[in-house]
Amino acid sequence: VLGGLQVIKSAHETGVKKIIFVSTGGALYGEAEKIPTTEDAPTYPLSPYGIHKLTLEKYLHYYYKVYGQDYTVLRLANVYGPRQFKGGEAGVVSIFVDSAVSGEPCVLNGDGRQTRDFVYVGDVVDALIKTLTIKFCGELNISTARETNLLEVIAAIEKASGGKLDYNQMPAKDGEQRRSCLSYQKAHQMLGFVPQIDLEEGIRLTLKWAKLRS
């Protein structure tokens, strides 16, 4: 949060025309009542990560109202794709794909029926580029509006790889959301955004990249 505030403050003081903040949609809404979830839904994040993203969104709004600093927030769903390495902040698709390529078992926390909205990195980049050209101070979900559970992700990886993905099942993590899926209709209206890569094709492309670097 403090680092983000320094960026916002410095951007304003040096005359940056616009700030595009990459926020989170998957971790911001908590256990939403409405699926797919829209930007006007209540925000009750269940993790410090989500809380900190929301805090910076509020500071951006403050800088806009008080100082006129333009900004747009993109609330990303669960991003996956090539160049997302296992470890660090890697997502579950990256971890599972890495295991499929290496042949080493991975860990599945919970029953595997928890859902996420998986959006391909190429579609996210397209949204970021389009955001440069619009005049809009507020929040936009970048997503697919498709709810997919982790067992379905495993099945898609097995189909793309032609082999079995070994995993060890462990208890669910404390505070983990059960469901997450975002509406992108507002982004469609403001940016003309429509996701182009479905999960099956995205996993195929991710697996191809992972094999080349292994």
Side-chain angles (χ1 to χ4, degrees), residues 149-177:
N149 69 44
L150 298 191
L151 295 179
E152 291 172 320
V153 171
I154 290 172
I157 292 172
E158 290 178 338
K159 180 180 179 180
S161 66
K164 184 74 174 175
L165 180 64
D166 293 326
Y167 59 87
N168 299 315
Q169 199 152 2
M170 301 293 288
K173 292 183 178 180
D174 292 338
E176 183 178 15
Q177 288 173 231

Side-chain angles (χ1 to χ4, degrees), residues 22 36 94 165 188 206:
V22 177
S94 174
L165 180 64
H188 176 61
T206 306

